[in-house]
């Protein structure tokens, strides 16, 4: 549990630097999966991808390796997604759903991922 706590603290520390959000922290058969978002309503910025999301991806990847000796795989995408409540009155949660979210998961899990993979939209926005 100490390692999970350390990963959570490190992630929130790095996200705070760039005003990103931690949507989900999941431990399952795939390992530990963190879903981080940028640009939710009320938190959009100019050059958000180039100046916040990509630097976060680089810093969290490096910090996990250097500070905690944890290897990570990151999939970063840019696109429209549904961000809101799903479920019923008694059981519901905030969710981020859509093709860009699914692509991010596929990039993260790709056997060709050297550590960080981005989609074409991120590549265009950072060039």
């Amino acid at each position: 549990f100490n390692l999970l706590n350390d990963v959570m603290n490190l992630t929130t520390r790095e996200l705070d630097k760039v005003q990103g959000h931690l949507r989900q922290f999941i431990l399952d058969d795939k390992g530990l999966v963190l879903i981080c978002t940028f640009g939710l309503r009320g938190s959009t910025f100019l050059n958000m991808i180039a100046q916040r999301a990509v630097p976060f991806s680089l810093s969290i990847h490096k910090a996990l390796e250097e500070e905690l000796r944890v290897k990570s795989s990151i999939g970063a995408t840019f696109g429209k997604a549904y961000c809101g409540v799903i479920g019923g009155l008694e059981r519901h949660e905030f969710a981020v759903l859509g093709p860009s979210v699914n692509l991010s998961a596929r990039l993260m899990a790709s056997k060709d991922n050297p550590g960080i993979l981005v989609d074409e939209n991120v590549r265009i926005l950072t060039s």
Side-chain angles (χ1 to χ4, degrees):
F1 292 116
N2 288 336
L3 182 58
L4 289 175
N5 190 55
D6 292 344
V7 169
M8 173 67 93
N9 288 335
L10 191 144
T11 302
T12 55
R13 180 192 77 200
E14 295 301 314
L15 277 169
D16 285 347
K17 292 177 184 177
V18 292
Q19 296 173 300
H21 299 94
L22 178 60
R23 157 58 194 110
Q24 205 160 21
F25 190 91
I26 311 162
L27 182 60
D28 63 13
D29 61 328
K30 296 178 189 86
L32 179 62
V33 177
L34 305 173
I35 300 174
C36 302
T37 61
F38 294 85
L40 295 176
R41 180 174 288 157
S43 65
T44 57
F45 306 94
L46 291 175
N47 302 316
M48 182 175 51
I49 301 304
Q51 294 180 358
R52 295 175 190 269
V54 170
F56 166 76
S57 297
L58 296 168
S59 71
I60 192 70
H61 184 70
K62 181 179 178 182
L64 285 167
E65 177 72 34
E66 292 180 356
E67 295 178 34
L68 302 178
R69 306 276 188 261
V70 172
K71 295 221 181 267
S72 63
S73 295
I74 296 173
T77 59
F78 174 77
K80 291 184 179 182
Y82 169 77
C83 305
V85 177
I86 59 168
L89 291 175
E90 293 186 27
R91 183 167 184 231
H92 54 272
E93 68 176 314
F94 183 82
V96 180
L97 307 167
S100 60
V101 178
N102 298 340
L103 177 57
S104 184
R106 287 194 299 276
L107 291 173
M108 178 197 70
S110 171
K111 64 179 172 66
D112 298 323
N113 188 333
I116 301 173
L117 276 179
V118 300
D119 73 349
E120 187 63 25
N121 290 331
V122 172
R123 220 175 262 122
I124 289 167
L125 291 167
T126 57
S127 57

